[in-house]
Amino acid sequence: MKIAILDDYLDSIFHLPCYSKLAGHDVTILTQKYDDPADLAGAIGDAEAVVLFRERTKITDELLAHLPGVKLISQRSAYPHIDVDACTKRGVLLCSKQGAGKAPSYAAAEMTWALIMASARQIVEQNASLKSGQWQMGIGKTLRGRTIGILGYGKISRVVAGYAKAFGMNVLVWASEASRKAATEGGLDVAASREAFFAAPDIITVHMRLTPETRGTITVDDLARMRPGSLFVNTSRAGLVAPGALLAALDAGRPGKAAVDVLDTEPLIDADDRFANHPNVLATPHVGFVTEDELDMQFGDIFDQVVAYANGDPIHMINPEVWHGRKAKPA
């Protein structure tokens, strides 16, 4: 089967142990981003299966119109970037392993903690000061005894809460009603209200899925309630924050700092981008999940879906009516 793997910017997938699962298939790996659907379709060619690298490419009806030969899209986790109705209309099966049975992304949790530690102890600034011959440049903050607020309570949140407890921090949670109940049952404190949640912590870290309902859920008013010396951390999705809200909040001094691994424009290649160059921002280029271990786990699941499809027994189907419709047709 001809397979096209999209958006592998670092040309990393070929080197993963799980790549051996595609042995015997004709695989093309695309290492650049195509903004024009026709150009992307030309690069995909006559592939029958398309493998997505996270949410880097949006699957629209316009794109699928250029790809009549594609019968399978294989990816992992949520799919806000995919027009499922268009897939179904055009007979494209979408397979995506969801939360049940998935391990948390320890890589993302570790990245969250790395950003927190780097911000609290001014790691980047202190390093730059040393390299410039200036020795120490400022005074950092100890985490022990401070309060971290966790917005959203899922698998990654639980891991981050564990890190915070290990560092002697107080943990405060705000999430959906069901998730607040789960946090309470897990022995964590839940804020009395959303307003109280944003006002209290020294650090707020975001761990939510981006859906139509959660897009822009963090507003200017939410951020304005944060303390002047507080830190806002986002390793989930930039779209969870209302457009322009975080930059405006930083300019206003609440929160005092931000540490983010997700940006409104990805990939961001503008060296003069105002947000990325803000003096109170520590930004990294969406590398929270980019570790050998995490990629091998994720693409192992994705390739299992491809192999299952090739063997005539697809798994993790999002629009199974496409497959059942094919099977119902006379040979």
Side-chain angles (χ1 to χ4, degrees):
M1 183 166 64
K2 288 190 175 183
I3 303 165
I5 301 176
L6 310 189
D7 300 312
D8 182 15
Y9 304 151
L10 298 177
D11 198 16
S12 57
I13 293 176
F14 177 77
H15 305 284
L16 298 175
C18 68
Y19 187 75
S20 62
K21 294 183 177 185
L22 299 184
H25 294 286
D26 182 358
V27 182
T28 298
I29 298 177
L30 306 183
T31 58
Q32 71 179 85
K33 184 175 179 62
Y34 294 86
D35 294 320
D36 184 86
D39 291 340
L40 175 57
I44 292 173
D46 58 353
E48 182 180 356
V50 169
V51 167
L52 301 186
F53 203 124
R54 305 280 286 195
E55 299 166 22
R56 292 177 175 177
T57 288
K58 290 185 177 181
I59 303 299
T60 63
D61 188 58
E62 179 185 4
L63 174 60
L64 293 175
H66 291 284
L67 297 168
V70 170
K71 301 302 178 186
L72 170 70
I73 294 174
S74 184
Q75 64 131 52
R76 193 175 187 266
S77 197
Y79 41 91
H81 53 299
I82 299 176
D83 186 336
V84 179
D85 290 339
C87 289
T88 302
K89 179 183 71 174
R90 295 188 179 276
V92 178
L93 180 66
L94 171 61
C95 292
S96 185
K97 186 174 183 180
Q98 300 299 293
K102 278 175 46 180
S105 175
Y106 293 107
E110 290 174 3
M111 185 66 189
T112 299
W113 206 254
L115 289 174
I116 289 171
M117 290 293 296
S119 297
R121 299 307 302 270
Q122 305 170 323
I123 300 296
V124 175
E125 298 92 335
Q126 296 285 7
N127 179 256
S129 181
L130 181 64
K131 287 182 175 180
S132 68
Q134 300 300 309
W135 197 229
Q136 299 173 359
M137 54 67 60
I139 301 173
K141 294 182 178 180
T142 302
L143 295 180
R144 189 173 189 85
R146 297 184 187 274
T147 297
I148 183 170
I150 300 179
L151 183 60
Y153 190 67
K155 293 180 179 180
I156 296 176
S157 300
R158 289 170 170 82
V159 177
V160 172
Y163 296 161
K165 288 290 187 181
F167 273 76
M169 299 189 74
N170 306 307
V171 178
L172 188 67
V173 173
W174 187 256
S176 66
E177 184 176 353
S179 294
R180 296 199 301 271
K181 180 180 179 182
T184 300
E185 292 172 349
L188 299 178
D189 292 331
V190 171
S193 66
R194 183 181 178 91
E195 292 77 13
F197 171 81
F198 276 93
D202 300 282
I203 299 168
I204 287 179
T205 179
V206 181
H207 301 285
M208 301 172 64
R209 283 188 173 183
L210 180 62
T211 67
E213 293 73 29
T214 61
R215 183 174 292 278
T217 189
I218 301 169
T219 66
V220 171
D221 290 340
D222 290 328
L223 297 171
R225 292 186 176 93
M226 294 183 67
R227 296 160 57 181
S230 62
L231 169 68
F232 178 83
V233 183
N234 188 1
T235 58
S236 293
R237 293 292 184 274
L240 294 167
V241 183
L246 184 53
L247 183 58
L250 289 164
D251 286 343
R254 291 176 179 263
K257 292 184 177 181
V260 302
D261 186 47
V262 288
L263 299 152
D264 288 329
T265 300
E266 295 186 7
L268 178 63
I269 54 175
D270 179 5
D272 297 320
D273 181 79
R274 183 163 175 259
F275 179 81
N277 287 282
H278 195 285
N280 294 328
V281 169
L282 171 58
T284 50
H286 207 156
V287 292
F289 68 101
V290 185
T291 68
E292 293 177 0
D293 315 76
E294 182 73 15
L295 290 179
D296 192 56
M297 177 181 67
Q298 290 194 12
F299 280 96
D301 288 340
I302 292 170
F303 295 159
D304 284 343
Q305 292 169 173
V306 173
V307 172
Y309 174 86
N311 291 336
D313 190 19
I315 56 176
H316 309 141
M317 293 184 286
I318 301 303
N319 52 347
E321 61 271 28
V322 170
W323 179 255
H324 299 319
R326 289 185 205 167
K327 300 295 286 185
K329 291 181 180 179

